[in-house]
Amino acid sequence: MDEELGDVGAVYDELQNFFDDFQVEFRAATNGLTLHFDRPVITNVAQSYIYDLARYSKFHEIEIPDLARRAGYLAKWLLRLRPVRCDADVTAMPEEIGKLALTVNELFALYVVSGILRIDLEARLTPRTLNMVLYSFRYRATSEDAFFLFFVHLSESA
Amino acid sequence: MSPVCGFLSVLATVILSGALGGLRNFLEEQAASDAKLILFFRRFVEAILAAAVVPLFLSIIGNNIIADLLSPTAGSNSNWLSDWLYAILKLLGFCIVASLYSRKFLDTVSARVLNLEKQVKETKQEAQKATQGIELLTNAVVESDDQPAPASLAQLVVAPPAAEHGQQILKAFLTAGVPVRSVQGLSLSTNLPHDQVATCLSELEKQTFVRSIETPKGIRWVLTPAGRKVLGDI
């Protein structure tokens, strides 16, 4: 990996640390469901994220992209490559918990974005807005630029 | 120009521009209100306040007009008047805009100031938490009462790790900005094979430069104070 592009290993470990904390909260919310973290996929997420940052920095001649941009790129790759999985049988669990299990990558992406922006999104957004964000994450072909606009708005109105 | 003159010129600019803005606002709302005198003074005061907040606003956005006006100008004497006039005109412009949209401007600047305070507070708290976390994780050795204290600082100096790979791995801890690392993460950061990183980390742990932590998701690694010190020596 070209050193100038950035430290893929650091991004990998940062995502891993996020996952460790996310796992604890997810377990508490789902009566102990276990999540698995696909290491090669997370490496791919980290590499793709670094490439995006490098491209953006080079084109705009900016040394360090801002937090909203970073959060946008990370959300994009986490949602596209889906590194987290829950192997439990969704049909055999209560509907609410099944929903959480199905949308685990969307929830993890939101968790990572919260951490990057240093905003408690669960507290900041209304339940309706939160559902809309998760729906967009899962079903809509939203680009990182749209995420970026939303995250900038969140950061500046915090 | 003396700082007192600079201050007086700023004050005069603020009051004048505030007065103009307030008058304009009053005239615009004249038709809508019966208590014209009260409304006039209300708008007048609001506009003065908004113009008075302009120096704070300028400092938030990193503009140095006020500093330039208050401090003696550098450079040749023949240029100071034009520089001063230019700065005054810029300040006048800011103050007029602020007074014209006084209510909105006051709301915006208040929100920014409160937000900045909140951000500073949160950043301080996070920095404190991170420091505490790192201290808890990286306490390498507890000195027992039996061990004699070192006679000099030289006795604390440890030889830097001989292997180049060991140095590479130690540096990866500092440059990444992530205090808790995994073998896989370090392997990606240093472009070294996974098993080589694992072997190096075991060696570095024996030399007390790094420390392993058991987590539910596996072993993680942190840099110890001895490791930080030796990085300074490399």
Side-chain angles (χ1 to χ4, degrees), chain A residues 1 7-10 12-14 16-17 19-20 23 35 39 43 47 118 155-156 158, chain B residues 115 118-119 122 126 172 175-176 178 180-182 184-186 188-189 191 215 217 220:
Chain A
M1 183 83 198
D7 192 343
V8 173
Y12 176 95
D13 279 336
E14 204 172 356
Q16 177 132 62
N17 293 337
F19 177 74
D20 290 346
Q23 162 94 299
L35 297 175
R39 296 188 195 292
T43 308
Q47 281 169 339
R118 296 187 183 107
S155 304
E156 292 192 346
Chain B
N115 188 34
K118 190 179 157 200
Q119 275 182 1
E122 278 173 7
E126 270 182 39
T175 53
V178 179
V180 184
R181 303 300 308 268
S182 64
Q184 175 66 8
L186 287 167
L188 287 167
S189 294
N191 286 330
T215 73
K217 298 307 289 182
R220 300 284 185 267

Side-chain angles (χ1 to χ4, degrees), chain A residues 93-146:
Chain A
M93 50 183 86
E95 192 189 330
E96 280 306 312
I97 294 181
K99 254 191 206 171
L100 292 176
L102 275 177
T103 55
V104 69
N105 279 285
E106 288 74 21
L107 291 166
F108 180 56
L110 208 59
Y111 191 86
V112 170
V113 165
S114 265
I116 302 277
L117 298 179
R118 296 187 183 107
I119 300 173
D120 185 352
L121 289 176
E122 220 175 340
R124 273 288 303 286
L125 303 176
T126 62
R128 183 169 175 262
T129 310
L130 211 53
N131 277 336
M132 283 168 65
V133 170
L134 287 172
Y135 187 91
S136 293
F137 275 5
R138 185 160 181 84
Y139 296 111
R140 296 202 169 112
T142 320
S143 75
E144 67 272 24
D145 294 319

Side-chain angles (χ1 to χ4, degrees), chain B residues 108-145:
Chain B
T108 305
V109 174
S110 310
R112 272 212 174 188
V113 167
L114 291 171
N115 188 34
L116 268 175
E117 270 186 46
K118 190 179 157 200
Q119 275 182 1
V120 163
K121 199 175 169 188
E122 278 173 7
T123 306
K124 274 189 190 161
Q125 280 171 355
E126 270 182 39
Q128 210 174 4
K129 258 194 232 172
T131 311
Q132 282 169 0
I134 288 172
E135 277 173 5
L136 281 171
L137 289 171
T138 60
N139 273 332
V141 175
V142 175
E143 290 187 15
S144 89
D145 289 335

Side-chain angles (χ1 to χ4, degrees), chain B residues 130-142 173 179-180 208-213 221-228:
Chain B
T131 311
Q132 282 169 0
I134 288 172
E135 277 173 5
L136 281 171
L137 289 171
T138 60
N139 273 332
V141 175
V142 175
F173 275 95
V180 184
T208 71
F209 297 141
V210 297
R211 188 170 172 246
S212 61
I213 309 166
W221 298 86
V222 295
L223 199 61
T224 61
R228 273 177 212 282

